[in-house]
Amino acid sequence: MHSDTTRQRLLDLLADGQFHSGEALGSALQVSRGAVWKHLQALGALGLDVHRVPGRGYRLARPLERLSEARIRQALAPAIDHRLHALLLFDSIDSTNAQLLARKDGPGAVVACLAEHQQAGRGRRGRNWVSPFGANLYFSLSWPFASLPPDFPALGLAVGVAARRALADIGVSHVQLKWPNDLYFNGAKLGGVLLEMRGEPPGACRVVVGIGINVAMPRDTDVGQAWTDLEQTTGGVPSRNALAAALITHLVEALEAFENDGFAPFRGEWQAADLLAGEPVDVTDGREQLQGTARGVAADGALELETPGGIRRIVAGDATLRRRA
Ligand code: BTN
């Protein structure tokens, strides 16, 4: 049997989160116990949280709901489903953003892509996005713009609002937004947004919207900063298929609204969820380090920073919360 198929079936068997002996797995898959062990080693190396208990066998740290095109599509309203030219699912690829950027679909095609694991997940500012197998949501949507929309620099902020609406739909309220486009919960990072563009602005262009949301990270994962996940925030593990469908729905709606009206329909909601509002922050715009008090975002998405020299507008950069002395 082809080993990819064996791996798929092994994941299906383990998905219930119960113990399975190496022997039972081997006979169900018609491979040796050694072959089972090798597949589990390989999946473990991709970040799948597999436990082995002598005498009982193997089990996943928690049940795994596999990503499923049928489940995602079932949860979409017909108008949104029809808007999707393709919905691509992968077990392991370099990056869902890279995958969509490399495609040559016809003009106007909206394509979504999800993966169980990313070998080279991309974060903002050239950082790596840690992407353990089956743990989180790694999602991208390719969106064509006939011409550069108004307020284009604020697009990432509108996407943050759309992701927040999607999370609220699956029962996760009070998510905060950290300029420019991080999702936070209780002071720790829950997810992030990475936009990549191709084309010839101000003419036709295509934006790949990448969203990573932590769902149930293995507890000892080090991503270089304080993180949280939906398992910690909700006390359960929500359906990744339901979350994917909610993200697709809210993104399609938000991107259509942004195309017509820019950032205006999102600004109030963004400000209401602003993690940094009124807080002392360190900001870099890539050239300069600035300190001040965050005062929300302007109509074009720029961060307004109150400094001793007056209000400074930061169009692109990174902000960190400075703890009060
Ligand atoms: C950030 O640095 O906060 C942005 C992280 C964006 C991660 C997502 S995961 C799905 C998509 N594919 C990628 O390679 N990156 C984005």
Side-chain angles (χ1 to χ4, degrees):
M1 189 188 299
H2 192 267
S3 75
D4 273 2
T5 322
T6 309
R7 191 202 269 188
Q8 293 286 344
R9 292 189 50 216
L10 177 59
L11 283 163
D12 290 340
L13 289 169
L14 287 170
D16 61 8
Q18 303 295 316
F19 275 110
H20 297 265
S21 71
E23 197 177 348
L25 291 171
S27 70
L29 301 171
Q30 293 179 298
V31 298
S32 68
R33 285 168 62 174
V36 168
W37 184 82
K38 271 198 186 150
H39 279 295
L40 289 172
Q41 287 286 103
L43 286 165
L46 300 185
L48 186 73
D49 214 353
V50 194
H51 295 178
R52 178 175 169 268
V53 176
R56 301 195 68 185
Y58 304 96
R59 77 161 175 197
L60 299 183
R62 55 186 68 72
L64 175 69
E65 184 207 20
R66 305 273 279 130
L67 293 172
S68 145
E69 178 171 359
R71 284 200 189 180
I72 295 171
R73 284 202 184 262
Q74 268 160 24
L76 296 176
I80 304 281
D81 193 24
H82 289 147
R83 197 80 173 77
L84 275 191
H85 171 72
L87 172 56
L88 312 170
L89 259 56
F90 295 90
D91 259 0
S92 180
I93 49 164
D94 50 355
S95 142
T96 55
N97 265 34
Q99 178 69 30
L100 290 185
L101 285 168
R103 283 174 65 95
K104 305 231 178 306
D105 295 294
V110 176
V111 181
C113 177
L114 290 128
E116 296 281 11
H117 169 259
Q118 298 186 114
Q119 298 141 26
R122 301 179 183 173
R124 287 180 59 246
R125 305 177 83 79
R127 286 184 288 245
N128 173 38
W129 188 255
V130 177
S131 307
F133 193 101
N136 302 321
L137 203 77
Y138 315 119
F139 168 82
S140 299
L141 188 82
S142 175
W143 187 267
F145 286 111
S147 61
L148 207 63
D151 309 336
F152 185 73
L155 179 61
L157 279 69
V159 167
V161 169
R164 188 172 181 272
R165 291 174 182 167
L167 285 161
D169 260 12
I170 64 153
V172 186
S173 336
H174 309 300
V175 169
Q176 289 189 290
L177 299 171
K178 175 172 169 286
W179 188 87
N181 37 24
D182 286 345
L183 305 171
Y184 265 65
F185 194 94
N186 262 345
K189 185 157 167 169
L190 177 66
V193 173
L194 174 69
L195 300 187
E196 296 186 83
M197 187 172 66
R198 290 288 182 274
E200 278 151 33
C205 55
R206 189 159 66 92
V207 172
V208 171
V209 175
I211 302 182
I213 295 180
N214 301 335
V215 178
M217 283 257 236
R219 291 287 141 249
D220 54 358
T221 311
D222 179 7
V223 304
Q225 62 176 311
W227 59 265
T228 187
D229 61 15
L230 295 177
E231 186 179 30
Q232 289 176 54
T233 58
T234 64
V237 180
S239 158
R240 290 182 305 153
N241 289 309
L243 176 56
L247 277 175
I248 292 170
T249 302
H250 285 284
L251 271 179
V252 168
E253 287 171 0
L255 289 162
E256 277 172 352
F258 193 91
E259 216 159 11
N260 296 322
D261 303 316
F263 184 48
F266 302 94
R267 186 170 168 216
E269 219 171 313
W270 203 96
Q271 306 268 46
D274 184 354
L275 173 82
L276 301 178
E279 299 289 340
V281 290
D282 292 323
V283 181
T284 170
D285 64 358
R287 288 166 304 162
E288 246 187 310
Q289 272 309 124
L290 295 159
Q291 290 199 334
T293 305
R295 294 288 180 215
V297 290
D300 61 355
L303 175 70
E304 298 203 302
L305 185 72
E306 186 183 321
T307 70
I311 292 281
R312 295 280 302 260
R313 285 168 36 82
I314 322 293
V315 177
D318 243 352
T320 43
L321 203 57
R322 189 154 27 90
R323 293 282 155 223
R324 290 174 202 273

